[in-house]
Amino acid sequence: ATGPPPTVNGKILDASRRHVIYVHSKMLIIDDEYAIVGSANINERSMAGIRDSEMAMGMYQPEYLATKDKIPHGDVSCFRKALWAEHMGEKKPLWNDPASIECARLVYKTAKKNWEDYTGEEVVEMNHQHMLLYPYHISSNGQVQGAGKFPDTEAYIQGCKSAMLPDNLTS
């Protein structure tokens, strides 16, 4: 069976393999001590419990807490490092100290290279490297400065201005 002919944008997206994916889940990992993964938004609709169906899962191991001199290495830490390996394509010993400037620089460098590969003219294999540098800048006074549109689309990276929200928030 054949469907309708592909649109011009569909042909471009198929050729470049750059499909915008909207992920609805949220995740927060705090100091390798606590992690929460879920779908709820912080608004009345999600939090009231009578409208949208939402779900979350939390991980906490009180025997693996950070101290001034020690980084926890329990299951939450293993979970974070497994996610980083999946999204950055490899494991690095540097990830054992995620607060170090060296680790932050490596993550930034990897995400920046991945964004450049993703947006480049040539289609390249991303090899399980999914962490991308989001191409906008936050000024010292909190202003969000976007960087145009996602490649091959008319979708703005920054979102759109809102009559209700201040300019340092994006929708």
Side-chain angles (χ1 to χ4, degrees), residues 145-160:
Q145 299 160 347
K149 298 176 181 178
F150 283 105
D152 307 323
T153 75
E154 294 298 313
Y156 286 99
I157 291 168
Q158 184 176 345
C160 59

Side-chain angles (χ1 to χ4, degrees), residues 64-134:
Y64 291 98
L65 301 180
T67 66
K68 186 175 181 177
D69 303 319
K70 187 180 95 177
I71 299 169
H73 291 290
D75 289 343
V76 176
S77 174
C78 290
F79 176 65
R80 175 190 55 81
K81 289 184 272 189
L83 284 170
W84 283 19
E86 171 64 26
H87 291 284
M88 289 191 272
E90 60 185 331
K91 291 184 180 180
K92 295 276 188 179
L94 204 51
W95 297 350
N96 290 325
D97 186 5
S100 74
I101 192 69
E102 294 84 5
C103 183
R105 285 181 178 145
L106 177 62
V107 170
Y108 177 85
K109 180 181 170 185
T110 302
K112 183 177 181 190
K113 182 188 179 315
N114 290 346
W115 177 255
E116 290 165 356
D117 287 349
Y118 176 74
T119 59
E121 290 295 320
E122 183 181 338
V123 176
V124 298
E125 292 297 326
M126 295 298 290
N127 297 324
H128 302 288
Q129 296 184 17
H130 312 294
M131 185 174 285
L132 304 176
L133 183 66
Y134 216 67

Side-chain angles (χ1 to χ4, degrees), residues 24 26 38-55:
H24 184 70
K26 291 88 176 166
S39 61
N41 296 305
I42 301 177
N43 61 23
E44 185 276 332
R45 184 179 176 125
S46 287
M47 305 304 268
I50 58 173
R51 294 181 70 184
D52 288 349
S53 298
E54 303 292 358
M55 176 172 164

